[in-house]
Amino acid sequence: MTVLIDGKKIANEIKQEIASEVELLKENKRKVPYLAAILVGNNPASKTYVMAKEKACKSVGIKSTIIDLNENISQKELLQNVEMLNQNKTHDGFIVQLPLPNHISTQKIIENINPIKDVDGFHPMNIGKMVNGLPSFLPATPKGIMELLKRYKISTEGKHCVILGRSNIVGTPLSIMLSRKSPNANCTVTLCHSKTKNIKKFIEKADILIAALGIKHFITADMVKKNAIIIDVGIHRIKSNEKKSGYKLVGDVDFENVYTKCSYITPVPGGVGPMTIVSLLSNTLQAAKINMH
Ligand SMILES: NC(=O)c1ccc[n+]([C@@H]2O[C@H](COP(=O)([O-])OP(=O)(O)OC[C@H]3O[C@@H](n4cnc5c(N)ncnc54)[C@H](OP(=O)(O)O)[C@@H]3O)[C@@H](O)[C@H]2O)c1
């Protein structure tokens, strides 16, 4: 029987663990963790994400603030805001919500974030530490996926894991985490991308298949090996009469048809998404603990 990997449930469990730790800090008169988010411009998706992060912080007792900046802000001014957050003692960690407007170099902004406040884990120093297996802030989505596999006690050791998509925030860091020499990893990883030839031949060999390419229902039942473990990272908003809002979310996997063929699968919504947000909370708590020493 197929097991539905309930990311919402696991995320709520982790939220409770974080809330208890935050409560303990308060009882001991220690500093309450504080996250800041820089939001540039009016991208509706970015606004929704930042507000969801703020709400999640509130739910576990983490303080948060959103710094709203104009779409036309210069790179220099944005860097000044980053530096202000690097320096101040109030915020333990901060994120700069991506994507940024085209006139701003995302890489330049990321490189100027103080690595000990980089709770998104995108700074080259944190990426480098992750590659070397040293303690660091792990990027939220891959960290959340690793946690889901661990909490569902899914054995990864020796398995062939095929990841579709090599972005810096999902596919590439995940390929490193899953191939690490560790009991919760030890996978043999194949990382596919848009230049991979005959991608189907890799997909059908996957014991664990992670779809993070951003193409709606790309993975169909005929492609998937029987009893494979399927992690769907994609998020797509499509029109739907079934929902009051007039739209629904679907993933990179054709869930309804793939469900019966695999052994484990994450739904969209309610799979990887909630784990991404909770990983940011966990990184913020980690940053606050670092700041206490
Ligand atoms: N659930 C969550 O919390 C969460 C978090 C982040 C992202 N997402 C979602 O996950 C998806 C991927 O996000 P992302 O930011 O990683 O995407 P991205 O930066 O757009 O990267 C997409 C990757 O997929 C590859 N790709 C595109 N078309 C392909 C094809 N036909 N065959 C094979 N590979 C192909 C690209 O290859 P090239 O490198 O060759 O261009 C690239 O590596 C999106 O739907 C996004 O909304 C969800």
Side-chain angles (χ1 to χ4, degrees):
M1 216 182 71
T2 309
V3 176
L4 188 73
I5 300 180
D6 190 342
K8 205 170 164 188
K9 181 174 136 248
I10 301 291
N12 281 334
E13 282 171 20
I14 300 173
K15 271 189 185 173
Q16 280 174 17
E17 293 161 18
I18 295 172
S20 306
E21 286 206 49
V22 173
E23 196 48 44
L24 204 63
L25 290 173
K26 285 182 186 165
E27 279 171 20
N28 293 330
K29 310 267 181 275
R30 306 299 294 265
K31 184 176 173 302
V32 176
Y34 202 150
L35 174 74
I38 294 183
L39 176 64
V40 182
N42 299 310
N43 179 330
S46 294
K47 267 196 169 169
T48 308
Y49 288 137
V50 167
M51 279 159 63
K53 288 167 187 175
E54 190 178 44
K55 194 171 155 207
C57 281
K58 208 170 174 189
S59 73
V60 296
I62 291 180
K63 287 190 193 172
S64 67
T65 189
I66 300 175
I67 299 170
D68 254 312
L69 299 173
N70 189 283
E71 178 87 31
N72 299 319
I73 190 168
S74 68
Q75 179 164 300
K76 192 174 164 201
E77 283 171 304
L78 180 53
L79 284 170
Q80 284 165 355
N81 277 275
V82 166
E83 194 47 30
M84 182 268 291
L85 289 172
N86 281 341
Q87 297 295 337
N88 85 24
K89 299 244 185 300
T90 311
H91 301 103
D92 298 293
F94 67 97
I95 61 164
V96 179
Q97 183 65 41
L98 302 180
L100 291 169
N102 288 337
H103 66 278
I104 292 173
S105 156
T106 302
Q107 197 52 33
K108 178 94 182 153
I109 300 301
I110 290 173
E111 283 173 10
N112 276 275
I113 295 174
N114 183 346
I116 65 161
K117 289 193 168 188
D118 170 40
V119 285
D120 259 341
F122 295 160
H123 189 281
M125 172 96 84
N126 282 315
I127 301 286
K129 283 185 174 176
M130 176 196 67
V131 172
N132 284 321
L134 298 168
S136 65
F137 293 115
L138 299 174
T141 304
K143 175 174 172 158
I145 292 170
M146 296 302 288
E147 198 60 31
L148 272 185
L149 293 170
K150 190 171 153 194
R151 294 202 182 213
Y152 268 85
K153 298 189 169 52
I154 294 172
S155 153
T156 52
E157 191 156 301
K159 296 230 163 84
H160 181 201
C161 177
V162 175
I163 302 174
L164 309 178
R166 58 176 164 187
S167 73
N168 286 346
I169 62 167
V170 186
T172 293
L174 193 55
S175 70
I176 294 161
M177 291 182 201
L178 280 164
S179 56
R180 290 217 63 78
K181 193 169 184 170
S182 140
N184 295 315
N186 280 335
C187 280
T188 305
V189 176
T190 302
L191 185 57
C192 299
H193 44 76
S194 68
K195 304 290 182 283
T196 302
K197 287 199 178 117
N198 196 359
I199 201 164
K200 281 189 181 178
K201 99 173 170 254
F202 296 102
I203 297 172
E204 68 190 22
K205 290 206 173 76
D207 301 315
I208 302 175
L209 180 66
I210 301 183
L213 37 71
I215 301 178
K216 180 180 62 134
H217 290 174
F218 183 88
I219 303 296
T220 50
D222 57 305
M223 296 178 177
V224 172
K225 180 163 137 182
K226 198 166 177 343
N227 292 330
I229 295 151
I230 313 281
I231 307 290
D232 191 355
V233 185
I235 303 179
H236 310 274
R237 219 173 126 123
I238 60 164
K239 282 191 180 155
S240 166
N241 295 329
E242 299 159 31
K243 301 275 173 185
K244 235 169 135 185
S245 60
Y247 73 89
K248 66 173 182 177
L249 298 180
V250 298
D252 286 357
V253 176
D254 175 13
F255 179 87
E256 277 169 29
N257 294 308
V258 171
Y259 182 84
T260 48
K261 205 172 171 192
C262 57
S263 56
Y264 290 85
I265 188 165
T266 58
V268 177
V272 174
M275 293 301 291
T276 296
I277 294 199
V278 92
S279 299
L280 177 68
L281 302 181
S282 153
N283 282 353
T284 304
L285 178 62
Q286 188 184 330
K289 287 179 183 168
I290 293 169
N291 282 347
M292 281 168 205
H293 298 296

